[in-house]
Amino acid sequence: VVKGVFDAENISVGDIQVLEGEWIFIPNKFVEPLEDFGKYTRYENINTSWHKYGDGLSIYGYGTYALRIKNLSTNGVYAIKTTTVSSAFTAYLEGKEIYRSGIVGNSRKFEKFNWDAPFITLPNFGKEEVTLVFHVSNFGDRHPGFSKPIKFGVYSAISTEKNRDTIIFVILAGYLFVAGAFFISLYLFYSKETKAFYFGLICLNFSLRICCYDEFLITTIVPHIDSIFLFKLGYITFSLSIVLVSLFVQELFG
């Protein structure tokens, strides 16, 4: 992305590009998505938290990111994918809302927190150039904005990658869950084997942690899970890992 413009001319069917670089950025303002963004001249990397831009912006705040995508195929179907936007965002294409995660707000009072790994279809409306706009707010996390790169490509390529990532995380989480159940079963049949009990809990904890991040598998298992609960559950798995590993090591070596 150069000066708020991304050239999609060389995007092939199986190609996926990362939308890193100089996005238009307007802090502390939700700019109308139909506005002319050519008059704004501040450019920032969307994958860098805005409090690291160097001008003293607070972690908690809100703002607008915008990008002009040119040389699109008029009959092509495109999509973007990202992970973990804190704490809420709304995406617009050519002034029309195409995705919403939580509810953005200019204060904690009006924001509704949400964690998500969105897969967003980009209807280009038969145009060769479109403007993509994000309204982002953060009043609930320590990492404002987009914490990981936004990937862009044709719908089939982005969909295939998302499905592949989901399958990988399902296999990892499932393997750890089965291992955890096995070692806890050993303890149930032989209560002196406390090492197996702690190791089983470690496996279950890491299985749950995988479900709380990246592709957010737990939202597939429990579709209407409360976002604040998911947020806290993810942080608990980190602290619990330290406790369980310490108990396991203590039991193993005395």
Side-chain angles (χ1 to χ4, degrees):
V1 178
V2 180
K3 301 295 183 182
V5 178
F6 176 75
D7 191 343
E9 183 176 14
N10 296 319
I11 297 289
S12 59
V13 173
D15 192 20
I16 296 176
Q17 296 289 331
V18 176
L19 298 180
E20 289 186 311
E22 300 170 326
W23 283 66
I24 298 169
F25 176 63
I26 304 98
N28 303 317
K29 184 179 181 181
F30 291 136
V31 180
E32 287 296 323
L34 281 175
E35 191 169 327
D36 178 17
F37 285 91
K39 63 183 180 181
Y40 296 102
T41 57
R42 177 171 180 174
Y43 304 102
E44 302 287 357
N45 190 333
I46 195 171
N47 299 129
T48 301
S49 297
W50 60 54
H51 71 288
K52 297 180 180 179
Y53 289 161
D55 57 349
L57 289 174
S58 170
I59 290 177
Y60 303 114
Y62 59 100
T64 301
Y65 289 95
L67 171 69
R68 190 74 177 167
I69 305 175
K70 65 178 185 178
N71 291 324
L72 293 168
S73 171
T74 55
N75 59 357
V77 180
Y78 298 90
I80 58 175
K81 178 182 179 295
T82 185
T83 58
T84 315
V85 184
S86 304
S87 298
F89 82 96
T90 305
Y92 301 89
L93 194 71
E94 289 297 277
K96 298 182 179 180
E97 181 180 321
I98 58 172
Y99 194 87
R100 176 176 293 193
S101 176
I103 299 175
V104 296
N106 55 13
S107 69
R108 189 182 301 271
K109 176 182 177 181
F110 297 106
E111 179 189 80
K112 182 178 180 181
F113 180 89
N114 190 46
W115 260 2
D116 198 4
F119 171 82
I120 308 172
T121 304
L122 299 182
N124 61 1
F125 309 109
K127 297 181 179 180
E128 292 185 354
E129 290 193 15
V130 294
T131 300
L132 176 64
V133 177
F134 289 112
H135 288 172
V136 184
S137 68
N138 178 60
F139 293 96
D141 197 7
R142 61 190 181 93
H143 295 295
F146 292 77
S147 60
K148 292 186 179 181
I150 299 173
K151 296 179 180 180
F152 171 86
V154 297
Y155 179 91
S156 58
I158 298 293
S159 177
T160 299
E161 182 177 83
K162 181 175 176 60
N163 292 336
R164 183 197 64 198
D165 291 345
T166 300
I167 291 171
I168 290 173
F169 287 121
V170 166
I171 292 173
L172 288 174
Y175 176 81
L176 288 168
F177 180 82
V178 171
F182 171 77
F183 284 104
I184 290 176
S185 298
L186 284 180
Y187 171 75
L188 294 177
F189 285 104
Y190 186 59
S191 58
K192 291 184 179 180
E193 196 60 46
T194 51
K195 296 187 292 294
F197 176 68
Y198 289 133
F199 188 75
L201 289 179
I202 290 171
C203 291
L204 292 180
N205 182 69
F206 279 110
S207 176
L208 178 60
R209 184 169 178 81
I210 290 173
C211 293
C212 290
Y213 292 98
D214 294 304
E215 294 301 323
F216 299 95
L217 300 178
I218 199 169
T219 60
T220 303
I221 302 169
V222 187
H224 301 293
I225 188 171
D226 181 71
S227 296
I228 297 296
F229 176 76
L230 174 60
F231 176 84
K232 293 180 178 179
L233 187 63
Y235 273 81
I236 286 172
T237 59
F238 176 77
S239 303
L240 197 57
S241 299
I242 298 173
V243 174
L244 293 175
V245 169
S246 299
L247 291 171
F248 175 71
V249 171
Q250 170 68 20
E251 186 66 29
L252 194 63
F253 298 108

